[in-house]
Amino acid sequence: MTISAPKRSPKQERFCIALRWTLYVLLLALCFVLQCTGRHLNPLYVIPAAVCISMSEGVLTAAGVGMVIGLMIDISCGKLLGLNALFLVCGCVCTALLFMHLLRHNIINVLIVTLLLAAMQGGLDYLFYYYMWNYDAVETVFARWHLPVIFLTTGAVLPLYPIFKLIKRRLLPPSGNANEA
């Protein structure tokens, strides 16, 4: 015998959706401000936020979140507008599909996926902005800048994941998947 969660009325469901997305937007704004403050190495807080949102939402939603977060990274890092957006659309869609069909929702999997996305984003940034142009001592840029940012970004999952997990538990439909609502 399984115990099912009580069904929500359509009005309650609309309220939960609006509250969930309001919290997502506020958390993304906070992550964006935190990654833009300071002068030295800052983690890209929006990448763990993108992974946390993408693992709970559908594929189309993950693509939209990836585009917005990629543009946020382009703006905060002063890069060519659209490169990170294109990459993160693909990355967030893959994340959503992985968590729908293959991975469980736990901190280890979120850490691994965040590490992979951060490493690929940092690697593409290094490739297109430094290595390709054959600057002197280009390896030090990767070792002193990109690697620490990749690991700091991965570590940023630890405070963010419990917040998104709480939002998921309280505000997603009882079935647990936003697509089924």
Side-chain angles (χ1 to χ4, degrees):
M1 181 170 122
T2 61
I3 299 173
S4 61
K7 295 277 184 179
R8 295 181 185 148
S9 71
K11 187 176 183 179
Q12 289 173 329
E13 194 60 43
R14 284 191 302 270
F15 174 76
C16 286
I17 290 169
L19 182 60
R20 183 175 78 228
W21 281 100
T22 301
L23 291 173
Y24 284 166
V25 167
L26 289 174
L27 285 169
L28 286 176
L30 178 66
C31 289
F32 180 72
V33 167
L34 286 175
Q35 85 180 23
C36 290
T37 57
R39 294 187 177 176
H40 195 53
L41 297 174
N42 290 335
L44 298 172
Y45 289 105
V46 293
I47 290 179
V51 171
C52 290
I53 292 172
S54 295
M55 75 177 198
S56 300
E57 301 293 332
V59 175
L60 186 60
T61 305
V65 166
M67 181 187 65
V68 169
I69 288 178
L71 291 172
M72 292 169 96
I73 292 173
D74 289 335
I75 291 168
S76 68
C77 296
K79 303 294 182 179
L80 180 65
L81 200 63
L83 178 65
N84 285 307
L86 181 64
F87 167 71
L88 280 174
V89 165
C90 298
C92 287
V93 167
C94 289
T95 298
L97 290 171
L98 279 171
F99 278 99
M100 275 183 193
H101 300 294
L102 189 63
L103 299 176
R104 293 181 181 252
H105 292 233
N106 61 35
I107 189 71
I108 302 298
N109 290 334
V110 175
L111 277 167
I112 291 168
V113 171
T114 302
L115 176 65
L116 291 173
L117 277 179
M120 287 189 282
Q121 187 275 336
L124 285 174
D125 186 61
Y126 172 74
L127 176 70
F128 287 126
Y129 290 102
Y130 300 100
Y131 185 78
M132 190 169 166
W133 302 103
N134 202 18
Y135 291 128
D136 292 335
V138 71
E139 298 82 21
T140 59
V141 171
F142 189 76
R144 291 187 182 177
W145 185 262
H146 287 286
L147 279 179
V149 168
I150 289 168
F151 290 122
L152 287 171
T153 300
T154 304
V157 167
L158 298 174
L160 288 174
Y161 178 73
I163 297 168
F164 283 99
K165 184 177 179 181
L166 179 66
I167 292 171
K168 176 187 169 205
R169 188 174 345 125
R170 299 291 176 135
L171 298 175
L172 271 179
S175 65
N177 189 353
N179 292 334
E180 296 173 10

